[in-house]
Amino acid sequence: MPSVLARATSIAAIVLLAACGGGGQGADSTMPPDGEDGRSEGDGPGGGENLAGRCQDNFGPDRIDAGQDCAPAYHEYCEGTFGNGGFSYDEVPACDGVVVETVAIEDADTYAGFLKYVVLRPADTDPRAVVTSLHFRELLRDPNKAAHTYGTQMRLHELVKGRNAMVILPGAPGGNWQQFSPTGLLDSIEESGLGDLPLLDLLGGVDSPLFGLLEGIGLPVGLLDALFGNAGTLGDVADALDNLAPLVGSIDDYLQYARTARDHALARFGGAELPQFASGLSNGATYAMRLACQYPDEVDAFMTVGGAVSALEAEACKDNPPVGSVQVHGINDPLSPYIGIITYPIRGGVPPINEDYADGEVDGIPEGVTTAVLREQPGLFLDVFGPNNGCSDEVEASVIPAGAAGRGEIAGDVVIERFADCTAPEGHKSYMVTVTRGGHNWPGYDAPSGRNVNALGLVSYDFDATLYGFDLMWRAAGLE
């Protein structure tokens, strides 16, 4: 069991990125063969420019531009739980055509001394791709329970059935993928250029979700006063966290644990020869990005939802070999800010809303961050992943309007951006999906019907990060 100080440190890491989220669903066997259900030859993922059939079966921004109805359709493949289990599930619900395997190995060759993961795979057919997906922060939860909870809420059994994929869900030791190493933290903040901004302005005040989480976590006596009082800055946070004891296990320990789980699953269940995708939510998204940046030969495409990396990690990722990238992020994310803070900005430049907005008039842009700062800020989409894939400066955008799925419009329009041209030899591309008023959530997660807001912000149901996210990864990998 971690010490009180270690636990406090892990939650203090929420200041860097932290994590929470939600989602799950269920309904029939694998994807119908080509030519059935109104779809023509080549219309599944990988169908290229063929726009026959439904956008819901093979999503792409070109379909939006062609005037198709691209509002997500939920519960078509597996029945939903509608959030009945809250944030705790012992097992992914049964769905006809989906096999669920739970693996637990003691004395494994990992820093933790064990290996735990869950695999979801098609029952009666070979999968077309493998997705290794990493869960959000579930501190002190059993690793496999964390994996089952994540798989249920994010409807990953529907991904198996609706897109004929195998899904590997590594369970993090202690339920948490460690978010930062104290070493180099100050350098990372300096790289961000925002170290002198007042902390309370950045967090949105004492009523913000991040402040509340820190307040209730039991940090050392006097630490909160030092961090939030007397106009403390982001640099003060770095100083405080830099002096806290690190967690057991480094970032690399956790990254190697995730790789070991993936490799063990591929050896046991097959699929090593298939396209390899990585995805994740919140701190799981950060590790998916780290996997793609540090081991680009092991990942054909990745998707992050509400995740980012430090400025130093982003710099190290530049000029890497091509890897398909899909970033899904809400502009009003309170835990992993869209404009970055000590993390690298998500998109870079002015957010895809109204470029003529006045300072301080757009939600999600903290006081003290001016239009000039935004225009000068680099970002992962514009300045790391796009250039790695040889993409041009010209960006094209398609919009799914708020409320298209009939589940409320408060989370705002969904803007899907991509570069007009990318020259990576194998066709790798980069996509940016922005929920213009969204929070720190997985769009389309299986929450109670009618709910589109939680403690971490507004939830969009106009983009399905589960199925549409897979379709974009397929395209980003150059497989269309």
Side-chain angles (χ1 to χ4, degrees):
M1 169 109 21
S3 69
V4 173
L5 184 55
R7 278 192 251 172
T9 306
S10 67
I11 306 300
I14 295 170
V15 174
L16 299 183
L17 205 48
C20 249
Q25 300 193 357
D28 207 312
S29 119
T30 55
M31 208 168 156
D34 288 341
E36 296 183 14
D37 193 30
R39 292 179 291 118
S40 61
E41 193 76 22
D43 189 45
E49 296 302 317
N50 188 343
L51 297 180
R54 302 189 315 159
C55 186
Q56 289 79 7
D57 295 322
N58 176 21
F59 173 79
D62 49 342
R63 291 177 174 271
I64 299 174
D65 297 343
Q68 293 190 13
D69 174 13
C70 288
Y74 297 101
H75 309 294
E76 288 198 332
Y77 299 103
C78 303
E79 295 180 358
T81 66
F82 298 101
N84 289 338
F87 278 86
S88 180
Y89 291 86
D90 291 322
E91 189 163 275
V92 174
C95 178
D96 184 35
V98 178
V99 176
V100 180
E101 307 270 2
T102 302
V103 178
I105 302 169
E106 298 299 327
D107 300 321
D109 187 20
T110 70
Y111 88 94
F114 63 82
L115 185 66
K116 293 187 177 183
Y117 64 88
V118 175
V119 171
L120 314 178
R121 55 194 178 91
D124 303 313
T125 186
D126 293 331
R128 68 170 70 205
V130 175
V131 181
T132 300
S133 199
L134 304 173
H135 60 77
F136 56 91
R137 176 184 167 276
E138 300 181 61
L139 190 65
L140 302 183
R141 179 167 288 173
D142 175 78
N144 275 342
K145 189 165 187 174
H148 280 293
T149 296
Y150 173 67
T152 300
Q153 292 185 315
M154 307 318 145
R155 306 172 23 249
L156 296 180
H157 46 339
E158 280 213 291
L159 176 56
V160 174
K161 190 165 186 177
R163 296 298 188 264
N164 194 26
M166 183 170 90
V167 179
I168 302 170
L169 304 174
N176 182 47
W177 303 104
Q178 181 170 316
Q179 281 307 91
F180 76 103
S181 294
T183 302
L185 183 56
L186 290 171
D187 291 338
S188 186
I189 289 179
E190 290 175 2
E191 289 283 344
S192 76
L194 299 175
D196 292 332
L197 292 177
L199 181 61
L200 285 180
D201 287 344
L202 290 169
L203 300 182
V206 295
D207 294 327
S208 74
L210 180 51
F211 186 91
L213 286 169
L214 290 172
E215 187 177 40
I217 202 58
L219 291 175
V221 175
L223 181 57
L224 280 176
D225 288 341
L227 295 181
F228 296 100
N230 302 317
T233 67
L234 191 60
D236 295 330
V237 175
D239 286 332
L241 293 179
D242 207 37
N243 291 323
L244 291 175
L247 293 173
V248 175
S250 66
I251 285 176
D252 189 62
D253 287 333
Y254 283 81
L255 186 59
Q256 300 312 322
Y257 180 98
R259 294 178 69 226
T260 300
R262 178 203 59 199
D263 293 346
H264 190 274
L266 292 175
R268 181 166 181 168
F269 300 104
E273 75 287 354
L274 297 174
Q276 300 293 318
F277 299 155
S279 66
L281 169 62
S282 194
N283 56 350
T286 294
Y287 272 80
M289 196 181 301
R290 286 170 173 155
L291 181 62
C293 283
Q294 295 188 36
Y295 300 95
D297 58 323
E298 298 178 4
V299 180
D300 293 293
F302 71 94
M303 177 179 73
T304 62
V305 180
V309 293
S310 72
L312 294 181
E313 289 179 287
E315 289 295 325
C317 194
K318 287 182 178 180
D319 301 320
N320 272 9
V323 174
S325 70
V326 180
Q327 297 168 258
V328 182
H329 218 102
I331 283 182
N332 291 340
D333 188 326
L335 300 186
S336 178
Y338 194 85
I339 63 165
I341 290 183
I342 46 180
T343 57
Y344 213 69
I346 303 303
R347 178 185 183 273
V350 177
I353 35 179
N354 178 359
E355 293 198 8
D356 297 322
Y357 68 85
D359 293 343
E361 292 185 0
V362 177
D363 291 343
I365 308 302
E367 182 180 345
V369 180
T370 66
T371 303
V373 169
L374 288 177
R375 290 183 185 279
E376 294 170 0
Q377 280 286 79
L380 291 168
F381 175 66
L382 294 179
D383 299 287
V384 179
F385 302 130
N388 285 356
N389 291 330
C391 298
S392 66
D393 291 334
E394 183 181 353
V395 175
E396 300 175 341
S398 304
V399 178
I400 302 178
R407 290 198 59 172
E409 58 185 39
I410 62 173
D413 294 343
V414 178
V415 181
I416 298 98
E417 295 179 283
R418 70 277 189 199
F419 294 89
D421 182 57
C422 296
T423 61
E426 295 184 358
H428 292 96
K429 303 176 182 66
S430 293
Y431 291 90
M432 180 75 239
V433 180
T434 298
V435 183
T436 53
R437 299 211 310 268
H440 190 72
N441 291 290
W442 180 283
Y445 89 88
D446 199 12
S449 183
R451 299 273 186 91
N452 52 4
V453 60
N454 62 24
L456 297 175
L458 304 179
V459 185
S460 176
Y461 287 89
D462 298 318
F463 180 82
D464 181 355
T466 304
L467 300 181
Y468 288 8
F470 176 88
D471 294 341
L472 289 182
M473 282 194 288
W474 188 277
R475 291 168 180 252
L479 299 172
E480 58 185 348

